Amino acid sequence: MRTRLIKTIIIALSLCCVNLMSAKSTAKRAKVNMKRLEARLDSVMQSHYDPRSPGAALLIAKNGKAIYDKGIGIADMATGEKIDGNTAFNIASISKQFTAIGALKMQEMGLINLNNSVASYFPEFKNDIWKKVKLQHLLSHSSGVPDARPRGDRNFMLTATDEQSVQYMKDLTELHFEPGTAYEYINPTFDLFYLLVERKTGMKFVDFQKKYLFDRAGMKNVQYFTPEAKIAHMAHGYIVNEDAVVSGSDSDYAKKREKVENDYVDGKGVHWAECDYGEETFFATKADGGIYTTTHDFLKWENALRGNTLVKRSSKRQAYTAHTLVTGSKWSGYQNRDNTWYGYGWFIDKTPGREVKIYHTGDNGGFQAYAAKYERSRVNVIMLENQNTVERWTLQLEIEKILREEGVLK
């Protein structure tokens, strides 16, 4: 009996040693080779951008800390200022997540309820259709409200504010579909939250966002654009100066562009035209796409969200929940990809066999932006560009592949 007991103890100790060695081996394999990761990311960025042209800033973070933080290219072709993590880009539609979190904050404060109808907050919207559209439908791009802004009026589209962009809704009598039944990406429905903030809080929209979001996140280099704004290290957006027609599933607009007389020539002889406020539409609205910020400040935003310092965990869960199926929608091509849903201010990619990706894209004028989070791996990818010749989705898939192969993503 004693001999059998001794043998059992020896076997148990042996198994413990084997398990410990295996755990150490696994931990060793899991350690990221930072030099190789940096070299591979440098290579992919250099393959897409030229340091003498408009370019991009890329920040990748793990557990809230940057593990890759570099810029490539020129922020301002007139001055030659280079891009880095302190360069301020227009993030276009990524601004919607800030509006969504602001709305969820108001709900926590008891000022609104996302399950209530638009009609209950906007009595001037007389038609009965507004009794069917709920605030949550606006945030999830499932309202059925058409974008009926006067796109033929170029001056209006260049300068229209949030208030002006929603004026057509007062006379709206029909929806594209029953609210909550389909996906159609639309900008002006987010502008309704600009008015809603001011009506329910008594504060200016930008002041509310600053007090409850930007300041609490510690964001010092973020602001909503105005024509008179002084933005430190501000990038300008640029497009290749040529006649072209631009469209595609990775862009929320499609239009013809014509070559302009005034342009900038880079070191490779490529001609670039400035394309932001004054040259392109939608820069004057705020709730749907007006933010300028840096990759460094955006990481502070992501960390504040992860730490639940802006809204409760339950509110954040609402934003990250897949509310609206994007895939296969007949109403909108924007991010209409396989396994894609929309939450409140974020897309959710549920590709089988891959970690769930919560992300958003933004594009306006010469700006392109992409911000993704992988909650299980605690990884953020933030890429801001001031030119739009690079196929953004292809590039981010290349970056994702590298992160997976190098053990950054699970």
Side-chain angles (χ1 to χ4, degrees), residues 50-54 74 77 264-272:
D50 189 285
R52 300 165 292 180
S53 306
I74 306 299
M77 295 292 282
Y264 301 91
V265 184
D266 67 17
K268 294 177 66 176
V270 178
H271 289 253
W272 297 89

Side-chain angles (χ1 to χ4, degrees), residues 165-177:
S165 294
V166 301
Q167 286 302 306
Y168 77 90
M169 296 181 187
K170 293 180 181 179
D171 301 319
L172 205 61
T173 59
E174 294 183 356
L175 301 173
H176 278 165
F177 49 81

Side-chain angles (χ1 to χ4, degrees), residues 9-276:
I9 292 172
I10 291 173
I11 291 171
L13 288 171
S14 297
L15 288 173
C16 286
C17 290
V18 170
N19 289 337
L20 182 60
M21 291 175 64
S22 177
K24 287 183 177 179
S25 177
T26 300
K28 187 175 181 180
R29 287 197 305 270
K31 187 175 182 180
V32 177
N33 185 323
M34 297 305 297
K35 287 187 177 180
R36 187 171 63 201
L37 174 65
E38 181 181 19
R40 292 189 68 183
L41 291 171
D42 283 347
S43 178
V44 74
M45 292 299 284
Q46 290 164 7
S47 70
H48 288 283
Y49 304 98
D50 189 285
R52 300 165 292 180
S53 306
L58 173 64
L59 188 152
I60 298 171
K62 176 80 171 179
N63 296 318
K65 295 183 179 180
I67 59 174
Y68 186 88
D69 179 12
K70 292 188 179 182
I72 181 171
I74 306 299
D76 188 332
M77 295 292 282
T79 66
E81 182 174 349
K82 295 182 179 180
I83 292 171
D84 61 21
N86 295 312
T87 302
F89 297 80
N90 179 263
I91 62 172
S93 286
I94 294 179
S95 304
K96 290 182 174 66
Q97 62 190 249
F98 292 81
T99 300
I101 293 297
L104 287 163
K105 184 64 180 178
M106 283 200 294
Q107 181 169 254
E108 289 181 0
M109 296 165 71
L111 298 174
I112 62 172
N113 187 321
L114 297 184
N115 288 317
N116 287 347
S117 70
V118 171
S120 62
Y121 298 105
F122 294 88
E124 67 270 33
F125 292 4
K126 302 295 186 182
N127 196 281
D128 284 347
I129 60 173
W130 294 107
K131 295 178 181 178
K132 298 189 292 183
V133 180
K134 297 180 180 181
L135 297 185
Q136 61 176 286
H137 296 140
L138 305 179
L139 292 177
S140 60
H141 290 302
S142 62
S143 67
V145 175
D147 185 348
R149 290 172 295 178
R151 289 177 177 266
D153 184 344
R154 180 159 179 79
N155 184 64
F156 175 89
M157 298 305 287
L158 284 172
T159 62
T161 62
D162 296 75
E163 299 100 317
Q164 293 169 329
S165 294
V166 301
Q167 286 302 306
Y168 77 90
M169 296 181 187
K170 293 180 181 179
D171 301 319
L172 205 61
T173 59
E174 294 183 356
L175 301 173
H176 278 165
F177 49 81
E178 282 296 304
T181 65
Y183 162 81
E184 182 178 16
Y185 192 91
I186 172 175
N187 285 297
T189 48
F190 267 74
D191 295 331
L192 283 173
F193 286 96
Y194 179 99
L195 279 68
L196 193 57
V197 166
E198 300 195 346
R199 291 183 181 190
K200 302 304 292 185
T201 69
M203 300 174 66
K204 294 292 186 183
F205 174 80
V206 294
D207 294 336
F208 179 86
Q209 297 290 90
K210 183 178 187 300
K211 178 178 179 179
Y212 290 101
L213 303 186
F214 301 159
D215 287 351
R216 293 186 180 186
M219 301 174 75
K220 303 296 184 184
N221 298 298
V222 57
Q223 66 186 87
Y224 284 99
F225 176 78
T226 59
E228 65 277 6
K230 302 295 183 184
I231 301 176
H233 304 293
M234 176 177 145
H236 285 284
Y238 298 92
I239 60 173
V240 174
N241 196 8
E242 62 184 7
D243 294 334
V245 175
V246 179
S247 64
S249 63
D250 200 29
S251 173
D252 63 356
Y253 60 91
K255 61 187 71 177
K256 184 178 184 296
R257 291 179 176 151
E258 298 179 355
K259 188 173 182 179
V260 299
E261 293 183 4
N262 298 321
D263 65 359
Y264 301 91
V265 184
D266 67 17
K268 294 177 66 176
V270 178
H271 289 253
W272 297 89
E274 186 176 305
C275 190
D276 42 38

